Amino acid sequence: MSNPKLISVQLVSSPNIDENLKAVEKQLTEIRRQFPSDELLVVLPECCLMFATKDHEVREFSEQTKQGPMQDALSELSQRFNLYLVAGTIAVKADDGRHFAASILFNPQGEQLGQYNKVHLFDVDVADGYGSYRESENTHPGQHISVIKTPIGNIGMAVCYDLRFGALFQTMREMGADIFVLPSAFTKVTGQAHWELLSRARAVENQCYMIASNQGGEHKNGRVTWGQSMVVDPWGVVESEIASGEGFAVGEFDRDKLQALRAKMPMASQQRFQSTLLKN
């Protein structure tokens, strides 16, 4: 049996949910055409179903945990295409009127295996056309770290700005992660500077695969995202990447290679500093 395929989907999402669902379906159709019988782990980018023009629009379409039309549609897609699907992020209601940027893992039966709420929020100033980003005004920070066990491997969940915080990834490795998934919408400026550098570094320092799925192009709300979605192996080798526009990059999860690398260089047992971050 062949190794499971790790697939990083890149989109240029819009404020229209139906339009974005059709774009996701198009990519999944092509993925299944190329890999008709493989076991698949597919990761969609951040804001995969709504890349809104205004933040309040996201709140208007936010859903309850484990219920709502966006979650139902993503569940149906994972079941129809028979794959594990990391549904980028969608807005899930928080108690304070804001929402969580929730990354949800669906199994091939369409069931939700887990939800990760983005912990680190993008409150920064960037020298681009948008200028100032204050994600926390509308998004509630997550409080827990998620590593989800699947037959493919243990999947550590992160989102976009989380990439800059190495302790999160160290903690996921301590919790048994084999694969990191990183739905993102990196700006062009920050992506050009640090996207590949940090994606590869997190894979190397934790000896994990990295599926880094980015938005990649000019959006209807005026933002420009970097792209360069990729799959990175635990030695830091980029197995595949896509520059800009819609499409996908493909790698594969080789458990024997992962275990051999960890045995030859046993960094986890040699780690002198343990994370104190909150774990599920």
Short mmCIF file of all heavy atoms in Angstrom, two decimals, residues 15-53:
data_model
loop_
_atom_site.label_atom_id
_atom_site.label_comp_id
_atom_site.label_asym_id
_atom_site.label_seq_id
_atom_site.Cartn_x
_atom_site.Cartn_y
_atom_site.Cartn_z
N PRO A 15 -15.49 36.96 -0.53
CA PRO A 15 -16.48 37.06 0.54
C PRO A 15 -17.70 36.16 0.33
O PRO A 15 -18.57 36.11 1.19
CB PRO A 15 -16.90 38.54 0.50
CG PRO A 15 -15.83 39.23 -0.25
CD PRO A 15 -15.33 38.25 -1.23
N ASN A 16 -17.80 35.46 -0.81
CA ASN A 16 -18.98 34.68 -1.16
C ASN A 16 -18.79 33.21 -0.80
O ASN A 16 -17.93 32.53 -1.37
CB ASN A 16 -19.27 34.84 -2.65
CG ASN A 16 -20.57 34.19 -3.06
OD1 ASN A 16 -20.71 32.98 -3.05
ND2 ASN A 16 -21.55 35.01 -3.42
N ILE A 17 -19.59 32.71 0.13
CA ILE A 17 -19.41 31.35 0.63
C ILE A 17 -19.65 30.32 -0.48
O ILE A 17 -18.86 29.38 -0.65
CB ILE A 17 -20.37 31.08 1.81
CG1 ILE A 17 -19.96 31.95 3.01
CG2 ILE A 17 -20.33 29.60 2.21
CD1 ILE A 17 -20.94 31.89 4.17
N ASP A 18 -20.72 30.48 -1.25
CA ASP A 18 -21.02 29.51 -2.31
C ASP A 18 -19.92 29.48 -3.36
O ASP A 18 -19.54 28.40 -3.85
CB ASP A 18 -22.35 29.85 -2.97
CG ASP A 18 -23.55 29.58 -2.06
OD1 ASP A 18 -23.41 28.77 -1.13
OD2 ASP A 18 -24.61 30.20 -2.27
N GLU A 19 -19.41 30.64 -3.70
CA GLU A 19 -18.31 30.72 -4.67
C GLU A 19 -17.08 29.99 -4.15
O GLU A 19 -16.40 29.26 -4.88
CB GLU A 19 -18.00 32.20 -4.92
CG GLU A 19 -16.95 32.49 -5.96
CD GLU A 19 -16.76 33.99 -6.14
OE1 GLU A 19 -17.68 34.62 -6.70
OE2 GLU A 19 -15.72 34.52 -5.70
N ASN A 20 -16.79 30.17 -2.87
CA ASN A 20 -15.63 29.51 -2.28
C ASN A 20 -15.81 28.00 -2.18
O ASN A 20 -14.87 27.23 -2.38
CB ASN A 20 -15.35 30.10 -0.89
CG ASN A 20 -14.92 31.55 -0.96
OD1 ASN A 20 -14.25 31.97 -1.90
ND2 ASN A 20 -15.30 32.33 0.04
N LEU A 21 -17.04 27.56 -1.87
CA LEU A 21 -17.30 26.12 -1.83
C LEU A 21 -17.07 25.49 -3.19
O LEU A 21 -16.53 24.38 -3.30
CB LEU A 21 -18.73 25.86 -1.36
CG LEU A 21 -18.96 25.88 0.15
CD1 LEU A 21 -20.45 25.88 0.47
CD2 LEU A 21 -18.27 24.68 0.82
N LYS A 22 -17.47 26.18 -4.25
CA LYS A 22 -17.24 25.66 -5.59
C LYS A 22 -15.74 25.57 -5.90
O LYS A 22 -15.29 24.62 -6.55
CB LYS A 22 -17.94 26.54 -6.62
CG LYS A 22 -19.46 26.43 -6.59
CD LYS A 22 -20.11 27.38 -7.59
CE LYS A 22 -21.63 27.29 -7.50
NZ LYS A 22 -22.29 28.25 -8.42
N ALA A 23 -14.97 26.55 -5.41
CA ALA A 23 -13.52 26.51 -5.62
C ALA A 23 -12.89 25.34 -4.88
O ALA A 23 -11.99 24.67 -5.41
CB ALA A 23 -12.90 27.84 -5.17
N VAL A 24 -13.35 25.08 -3.66
CA VAL A 24 -12.84 23.94 -2.90
C VAL A 24 -13.20 22.64 -3.60
O VAL A 24 -12.37 21.74 -3.78
CB VAL A 24 -13.41 23.94 -1.46
CG1 VAL A 24 -13.05 22.65 -0.73
CG2 VAL A 24 -12.87 25.15 -0.68
N GLU A 25 -14.46 22.53 -4.03
CA GLU A 25 -14.91 21.32 -4.72
C GLU A 25 -14.09 21.07 -5.99
O GLU A 25 -13.74 19.92 -6.30
CB GLU A 25 -16.38 21.44 -5.06
CG GLU A 25 -16.96 20.19 -5.72
CD GLU A 25 -18.45 20.33 -5.98
OE1 GLU A 25 -18.97 21.47 -5.97
OE2 GLU A 25 -19.10 19.29 -6.22
N LYS A 26 -13.77 22.12 -6.71
CA LYS A 26 -12.96 21.99 -7.93
C LYS A 26 -11.59 21.39 -7.61
O LYS A 26 -11.11 20.49 -8.31
CB LYS A 26 -12.79 23.36 -8.58
CG LYS A 26 -11.92 23.35 -9.83
CD LYS A 26 -11.77 24.75 -10.41
CE LYS A 26 -10.84 24.75 -11.62
NZ LYS A 26 -10.67 26.13 -12.16
N GLN A 27 -10.96 21.87 -6.54
CA GLN A 27 -9.64 21.35 -6.17
C GLN A 27 -9.74 19.90 -5.70
O GLN A 27 -8.91 19.06 -6.07
CB GLN A 27 -9.02 22.22 -5.08
CG GLN A 27 -8.71 23.64 -5.50
CD GLN A 27 -7.79 23.72 -6.71
OE1 GLN A 27 -6.83 22.97 -6.81
NE2 GLN A 27 -8.10 24.62 -7.62
N LEU A 28 -10.75 19.57 -4.91
CA LEU A 28 -10.90 18.20 -4.43
C LEU A 28 -11.18 17.24 -5.57
O LEU A 28 -10.71 16.09 -5.58
CB LEU A 28 -12.00 18.12 -3.38
CG LEU A 28 -11.77 18.91 -2.08
CD1 LEU A 28 -12.94 18.70 -1.12
CD2 LEU A 28 -10.45 18.53 -1.42
N THR A 29 -11.95 17.69 -6.54
CA THR A 29 -12.23 16.85 -7.72
C THR A 29 -10.94 16.52 -8.46
O THR A 29 -10.71 15.36 -8.85
CB THR A 29 -13.22 17.57 -8.65
OG1 THR A 29 -14.44 17.81 -7.96
CG2 THR A 29 -13.49 16.73 -9.90
N GLU A 30 -10.10 17.52 -8.65
CA GLU A 30 -8.84 17.28 -9.36
C GLU A 30 -7.90 16.42 -8.53
O GLU A 30 -7.18 15.55 -9.07
CB GLU A 30 -8.18 18.61 -9.71
CG GLU A 30 -6.83 18.49 -10.41
CD GLU A 30 -6.89 17.72 -11.73
OE1 GLU A 30 -7.98 17.61 -12.32
OE2 GLU A 30 -5.82 17.23 -12.17
N ILE A 31 -7.87 16.63 -7.22
CA ILE A 31 -7.03 15.81 -6.35
C ILE A 31 -7.43 14.34 -6.45
O ILE A 31 -6.58 13.45 -6.62
CB ILE A 31 -7.12 16.31 -4.89
CG1 ILE A 31 -6.40 17.66 -4.74
CG2 ILE A 31 -6.54 15.28 -3.92
CD1 ILE A 31 -6.72 18.38 -3.45
N ARG A 32 -8.73 14.07 -6.38
CA ARG A 32 -9.19 12.69 -6.46
C ARG A 32 -8.97 12.10 -7.86
O ARG A 32 -8.73 10.90 -8.01
CB ARG A 32 -10.66 12.58 -6.08
CG ARG A 32 -10.89 12.15 -4.66
CD ARG A 32 -10.29 10.77 -4.37
NE ARG A 32 -10.29 10.44 -2.95
CZ ARG A 32 -9.37 9.72 -2.37
NH1 ARG A 32 -8.29 9.31 -3.04
NH2 ARG A 32 -9.44 9.41 -1.09
N ARG A 33 -9.02 12.95 -8.88
CA ARG A 33 -8.74 12.46 -10.24
C ARG A 33 -7.30 11.97 -10.33
O ARG A 33 -7.01 10.93 -10.93
CB ARG A 33 -8.99 13.56 -11.26
CG ARG A 33 -8.89 13.08 -12.71
CD ARG A 33 -8.87 14.22 -13.69
NE ARG A 33 -7.62 14.98 -13.61
CZ ARG A 33 -6.47 14.59 -14.18
NH1 ARG A 33 -6.40 13.46 -14.86
NH2 ARG A 33 -5.39 15.35 -14.06
N GLN A 34 -6.38 12.72 -9.71
CA GLN A 34 -4.97 12.35 -9.77
C GLN A 34 -4.63 11.21 -8.82
O GLN A 34 -3.73 10.41 -9.09
CB GLN A 34 -4.10 13.56 -9.43
CG GLN A 34 -4.13 14.66 -10.47
CD GLN A 34 -3.09 15.74 -10.22
OE1 GLN A 34 -2.06 15.52 -9.58
NE2 GLN A 34 -3.37 16.95 -10.69
N PHE A 35 -5.35 11.12 -7.70
CA PHE A 35 -5.06 10.10 -6.68
C PHE A 35 -6.35 9.36 -6.33
O PHE A 35 -6.92 9.56 -5.25
CB PHE A 35 -4.44 10.75 -5.44
CG PHE A 35 -3.24 11.59 -5.74
CD1 PHE A 35 -3.34 12.98 -5.77
CD2 PHE A 35 -2.01 11.00 -6.02
CE1 PHE A 35 -2.23 13.77 -6.05
CE2 PHE A 35 -0.90 11.78 -6.31
CZ PHE A 35 -1.02 13.15 -6.32
N PRO A 36 -6.85 8.53 -7.23
CA PRO A 36 -8.19 7.95 -7.07
C PRO A 36 -8.33 6.99 -5.90
O PRO A 36 -9.44 6.82 -5.38
CB PRO A 36 -8.42 7.23 -8.41
CG PRO A 36 -7.05 6.98 -8.95
CD PRO A 36 -6.22 8.14 -8.51
N SER A 37 -7.25 6.35 -5.48
CA SER A 37 -7.38 5.33 -4.44
C SER A 37 -6.48 5.56 -3.23
O SER A 37 -6.46 4.74 -2.31
CB SER A 37 -7.07 3.95 -5.03
OG SER A 37 -5.76 3.90 -5.56
N ASP A 38 -5.75 6.68 -3.19
CA ASP A 38 -4.83 6.94 -2.09
C ASP A 38 -5.57 7.43 -0.85
O ASP A 38 -6.64 8.04 -0.94
CB ASP A 38 -3.79 7.99 -2.49
CG ASP A 38 -2.78 7.47 -3.48
OD1 ASP A 38 -1.78 6.88 -3.05
OD2 ASP A 38 -3.01 7.64 -4.70
N GLU A 39 -4.96 7.18 0.32
CA GLU A 39 -5.42 7.81 1.55
C GLU A 39 -4.92 9.25 1.55
O GLU A 39 -3.72 9.49 1.32
CB GLU A 39 -4.88 7.04 2.75
CG GLU A 39 -5.51 7.42 4.07
CD GLU A 39 -5.12 6.48 5.19
OE1 GLU A 39 -4.05 5.83 5.10
OE2 GLU A 39 -5.88 6.39 6.17
N LEU A 40 -5.81 10.20 1.82
CA LEU A 40 -5.47 11.61 1.65
C LEU A 40 -5.73 12.41 2.92
O LEU A 40 -6.76 12.25 3.57
CB LEU A 40 -6.31 12.23 0.53
CG LEU A 40 -6.25 11.59 -0.86
CD1 LEU A 40 -7.20 12.31 -1.81
CD2 LEU A 40 -4.83 11.62 -1.40
N LEU A 41 -4.79 13.31 3.23
CA LEU A 41 -4.99 14.37 4.21
C LEU A 41 -4.87 15.69 3.46
O LEU A 41 -3.79 16.03 2.97
CB LEU A 41 -3.96 14.28 5.33
CG LEU A 41 -3.92 15.46 6.31
CD1 LEU A 41 -5.26 15.67 7.00
CD2 LEU A 41 -2.81 15.26 7.35
N VAL A 42 -5.98 16.40 3.35
CA VAL A 42 -6.05 17.64 2.57
C VAL A 42 -6.26 18.81 3.52
O VAL A 42 -7.15 18.78 4.37
CB VAL A 42 -7.18 17.57 1.53
CG1 VAL A 42 -7.30 18.89 0.78
CG2 VAL A 42 -6.96 16.41 0.57
N VAL A 43 -5.46 19.86 3.34
CA VAL A 43 -5.54 21.04 4.21
C VAL A 43 -5.92 22.25 3.37
O VAL A 43 -5.25 22.58 2.38
CB VAL A 43 -4.20 21.29 4.93
CG1 VAL A 43 -4.32 22.49 5.87
CG2 VAL A 43 -3.78 20.05 5.71
N LEU A 44 -7.00 22.91 3.76
CA LEU A 44 -7.45 24.15 3.12
C LEU A 44 -6.85 25.35 3.85
O LEU A 44 -6.54 25.27 5.04
CB LEU A 44 -8.98 24.24 3.15
CG LEU A 44 -9.75 23.07 2.53
CD1 LEU A 44 -11.26 23.30 2.71
CD2 LEU A 44 -9.40 22.88 1.08
N PRO A 45 -6.74 26.50 3.17
CA PRO A 45 -6.16 27.68 3.83
C PRO A 45 -7.11 28.34 4.82
O PRO A 45 -8.30 28.02 4.89
CB PRO A 45 -5.84 28.61 2.66
CG PRO A 45 -6.80 28.20 1.59
CD PRO A 45 -7.00 26.73 1.75
N GLU A 46 -6.56 29.27 5.56
CA GLU A 46 -7.35 30.09 6.49
C GLU A 46 -8.42 30.86 5.71
O GLU A 46 -8.21 31.22 4.55
CB GLU A 46 -6.42 31.06 7.21
CG GLU A 46 -7.05 31.85 8.33
CD GLU A 46 -6.05 32.74 9.06
OE1 GLU A 46 -4.99 33.06 8.48
OE2 GLU A 46 -6.34 33.11 10.20
N CYS A 47 -9.57 31.09 6.36
CA CYS A 47 -10.67 31.84 5.74
C CYS A 47 -11.11 31.21 4.42
O CYS A 47 -11.45 31.91 3.46
CB CYS A 47 -10.28 33.30 5.51
SG CYS A 47 -9.71 34.16 6.97
N CYS A 48 -11.11 29.88 4.38
CA CYS A 48 -11.33 29.17 3.11
C CYS A 48 -12.71 29.41 2.54
O CYS A 48 -12.88 29.39 1.31
CB CYS A 48 -11.08 27.67 3.30
SG CYS A 48 -12.09 26.90 4.59
N LEU A 49 -13.72 29.63 3.37
CA LEU A 49 -15.08 29.81 2.87
C LEU A 49 -15.58 31.24 2.96
O LEU A 49 -16.66 31.55 2.44
CB LEU A 49 -16.06 28.89 3.61
CG LEU A 49 -15.84 27.39 3.42
CD1 LEU A 49 -16.99 26.60 4.00
CD2 LEU A 49 -15.62 27.03 1.95
N MET A 50 -14.83 32.12 3.62
CA MET A 50 -15.22 33.53 3.65
C MET A 50 -14.00 34.40 3.91
O MET A 50 -13.50 34.47 5.03
CB MET A 50 -16.29 33.82 4.71
CG MET A 50 -16.58 35.31 4.82
SD MET A 50 -17.99 35.71 5.86
CE MET A 50 -19.30 35.51 4.69
N PHE A 51 -13.52 35.04 2.85
CA PHE A 51 -12.46 36.03 2.97
C PHE A 51 -13.15 37.38 2.87
O PHE A 51 -13.29 37.95 1.80
CB PHE A 51 -11.43 35.83 1.85
CG PHE A 51 -10.06 36.33 2.19
CD1 PHE A 51 -9.08 35.46 2.64
CD2 PHE A 51 -9.75 37.68 2.07
CE1 PHE A 51 -7.80 35.92 2.96
CE2 PHE A 51 -8.48 38.14 2.39
CZ PHE A 51 -7.50 37.26 2.83
N ALA A 52 -13.63 37.87 4.01
CA ALA A 52 -14.61 38.95 4.03
C ALA A 52 -14.01 40.31 3.71
O ALA A 52 -12.82 40.56 3.93
CB ALA A 52 -15.30 39.00 5.39
N THR A 53 -14.88 41.19 3.22
CA THR A 53 -14.49 42.58 2.99
C THR A 53 -14.44 43.35 4.30
O THR A 53 -13.55 44.16 4.54
CB THR A 53 -15.49 43.25 2.02
OG1 THR A 53 -15.53 42.49 0.81
CG2 THR A 53 -15.08 44.68 1.71
#
